Amino acid sequence: MIRFVLADLKRLWAGSVVIVLLIALAVALGVGVSLQERALRLGSARAAEKFDLVIGAPGSETQLILSSVFLQPSALPLISGDNLIDLSEDPRVDWAAPVGFGDFHAGYPIVGTTTTLIDRTGSGFAAGHIFDVEGEAVIGSAVDLAIGETITPTHGRLSEGGHAHGGVTYTVAGKLNPTGTPWDRAILVPIQAVWHVHGLGHEEDEDHDHEEEAGHDDHDHDHDHAEEAGHHDDEDEHEHGHEGIDPDAPLDEHWHRGAVPGLPAILVKPKTIADAYKLRQEYRGNGQTLAVFPGEVLTSLYATLGDMKKVLSVIAAGAQLLVAAALLLVTVIHVGQRRRQIGALRAFGAPGGAVFGIVWLELFALVAAGVLLGFALGYAAAQVLSGIFAAERGFGLPVAFAAEDGVLLLVLLAVAAVLALLPAVLAYRQAPAEALRG
């Protein structure tokens, strides 16, 4: 029986290939949607798992997370730098690190932060070391630069009208191991360098030094004049783009109240879960800041993805039903065209059960091959899309089959077995004499 089926499929190979491809494409659409949606959930959750609490200015929670955790460029409003000091001194906080962004190099985002964040969230160095001075940088594993290379920051992307910060360069001091997060495509520099590049932090440092060294009104008066002049100089320099950095300046991560410029976001690691909820409540209810758990924001995004998945799944199911209906129509016509062959088989002594088995097995083999090929195509498509997404967004999307996919496979094969019954029954009930006469 099997040899007869194989010979028949070989003789009708063109039609068989078309049927298999139609079924495969319909199945691949549904499988690819399911795999890609699941991969996006897992990948984004893994990318955000190291960041428990994010604090920024009131506004969009989603944009705050996309910018500070997933490093998607956006102009965020700033919060007072004193919040960083308050959090660093809070006994409920394990560590708090600022992030500052807006600059790029060769398409990679330049993120200003501290050694604390790199030490606590990184996975070690593949080469080199952490930045020690203001002019050094640490790159993620996916950044195509080498140790010792020079980085020239641009304010915004050049392709979108950004401009280069002339005279400002960083030297790559270290390269991190892969983390599977968007930070693999980031260039990390000292936050004080980002401030100084954009003309921030200099006046505050001078204020602090004068407060420690001067105690006379005339000195304060002179300083006020100097500060006023400095603001005019800043305006002139801002017109030309930036102030600049001292590449050999040592890092100073011990800030003073009133001396920290505004920050777009602060990443916080609370000591306990209870501390996390208390901090979130405290920094959400003051009207000046917004505190969010990345997981909560992702949950709302997942709900949106779930709705999109339902729509696409309905479309995929509709396509599969259309293919199934077309397949039934084709096979019924095919059985009608093979009446003489079926009659000859019966006339030569083939029992009705054998004819039933041949027709059923032939059709089921075609559908099963299409279903299996569809799963393979759906998996391959999800892998390709995940690779493109990872290259653009910086974090991987793990594509893998789950138990529910196995259930779907069995259901589709069961449906295929049922669909193959109709033409098989028609062939079984066909009388030999009528078939030969027709």
Side-chain angles (χ1 to χ4, degrees):
M1 182 186 298
I2 294 178
R3 293 179 61 184
F4 185 89
V5 169
L6 293 176
D8 206 31
L9 291 176
K10 183 178 180 181
R11 183 174 61 87
L12 303 172
W13 67 270
S16 300
V17 168
V18 171
I19 291 175
V20 170
L21 287 178
L22 283 175
I23 298 172
L25 292 176
V27 172
L29 177 59
V31 172
V33 168
S34 179
L35 290 176
Q36 194 63 50
E37 188 266 347
R38 186 187 306 133
L40 187 56
R41 286 175 181 258
L42 292 175
S44 58
R46 292 177 183 177
E49 65 182 358
K50 293 185 179 181
F51 305 107
D52 294 346
L53 182 66
V54 180
I55 296 177
S60 170
E61 295 183 356
T62 301
Q63 191 57 62
L64 176 61
I65 296 303
L66 291 178
S67 296
S68 60
V69 175
F70 294 94
L71 304 182
Q72 299 303 303
S74 178
L76 294 179
L78 305 181
I79 59 174
S80 171
D82 287 347
N83 289 294
L84 177 60
I85 299 175
D86 294 336
L87 288 165
S88 300
E89 297 175 351
D90 196 313
R92 299 169 296 180
V93 174
D94 185 16
W95 56 264
V99 288
F101 28 76
D103 291 342
F104 293 84
H105 174 76
Y108 301 111
I110 296 178
V111 182
T113 187
T114 61
T115 56
T116 298
L117 184 134
I118 297 175
D119 289 336
R120 298 301 184 92
T121 64
S123 56
F125 282 84
H129 56 83
I130 201 167
F131 45 66
D132 295 323
V133 293
E134 191 170 315
E136 289 184 334
V138 170
I139 60 175
S141 61
V143 177
D144 189 18
L145 294 172
I147 303 297
E149 284 196 59
T150 299
I151 296 169
T152 301
T154 62
H155 186 68
R157 300 179 187 270
L158 290 176
S159 59
E160 299 174 357
H163 61 271
H165 291 297
V168 178
T169 59
Y170 301 103
T171 301
V172 178
K175 188 167 189 174
L176 294 167
N177 288 319
T179 63
T181 72
W183 295 73
D184 286 342
R185 287 180 49 84
I187 298 172
L188 308 179
V189 300
I191 187 67
Q192 72 184 56
V194 174
W195 291 335
H196 292 165
V197 166
H198 295 90
L200 303 172
H202 291 296
E203 297 82 0
E204 289 83 353
D205 294 340
E206 292 174 3
D207 286 343
H208 179 67
D209 293 339
H210 278 285
E211 287 174 3
E212 290 183 346
E213 297 174 2
H216 301 288
D217 293 340
D218 57 344
H219 287 189
D220 293 337
H221 182 70
D222 292 341
H223 174 67
D224 290 339
H225 281 291
E227 184 178 7
E228 183 179 354
H231 281 301
H232 289 297
D233 292 340
D234 292 342
E235 293 175 0
D236 294 338
E237 291 189 60
H238 278 301
E239 290 177 0
H240 292 86
H242 59 82
E243 278 205 350
I245 64 173
D246 180 359
D248 299 320
L251 300 186
D252 182 10
E253 297 182 351
H254 299 86
W255 300 290
H256 306 280
R257 195 170 299 279
V260 181
L263 298 167
I266 302 174
L267 305 178
V268 182
K269 177 70 174 180
K271 289 184 177 179
T272 66
I273 295 178
D275 292 335
Y277 278 94
K278 291 178 182 177
L279 289 166
R280 176 178 174 271
Q281 182 63 31
E282 181 177 328
Y283 282 87
R284 281 180 74 95
N286 58 14
Q288 300 177 347
T289 56
L290 175 68
V292 296
F293 295 142
E296 287 186 344
V297 176
L298 291 178
T299 299
S300 64
L301 291 177
Y302 295 158
T304 303
L305 288 175
D307 293 339
M308 294 176 60
K309 178 186 175 182
K310 291 178 182 178
V311 173
L312 292 175
S313 297
V314 170
I315 294 174
Q320 292 167 4
L321 288 176
L322 289 176
V323 170
L327 180 62
L328 274 178
L329 179 62
V330 169
T331 51
V332 169
I333 295 175
H334 183 58
V335 169
Q337 292 176 339
R338 296 173 62 189
R339 292 183 64 191
R340 293 180 63 84
Q341 182 187 25
I342 294 173
L345 287 174
R346 297 294 302 275
F348 282 110
V355 173
F356 175 92
I358 290 173
V359 175
W360 180 88
L361 183 60
E362 184 174 327
L363 182 57
F364 177 75
L366 290 175
V367 178
V371 169
L372 294 175
L373 180 60
F375 268 75
L377 290 177
Y379 180 84
Q383 286 282 19
V384 171
L385 291 175
S386 294
I388 296 173
F389 187 93
E392 293 181 352
R393 301 302 179 185
F395 64 98
L397 303 182
V399 178
F401 287 112
E404 59 189 80
D405 299 311
V407 173
L408 176 61
L409 175 61
L410 294 177
V411 169
L412 290 177
L413 291 178
V415 171
V418 173
L419 289 177
L421 289 176
L422 178 59
V425 170
L426 292 177
Y428 175 80
R429 296 181 61 182
Q430 193 168 269
E434 293 180 2
L436 292 174
R437 190 182 307 119

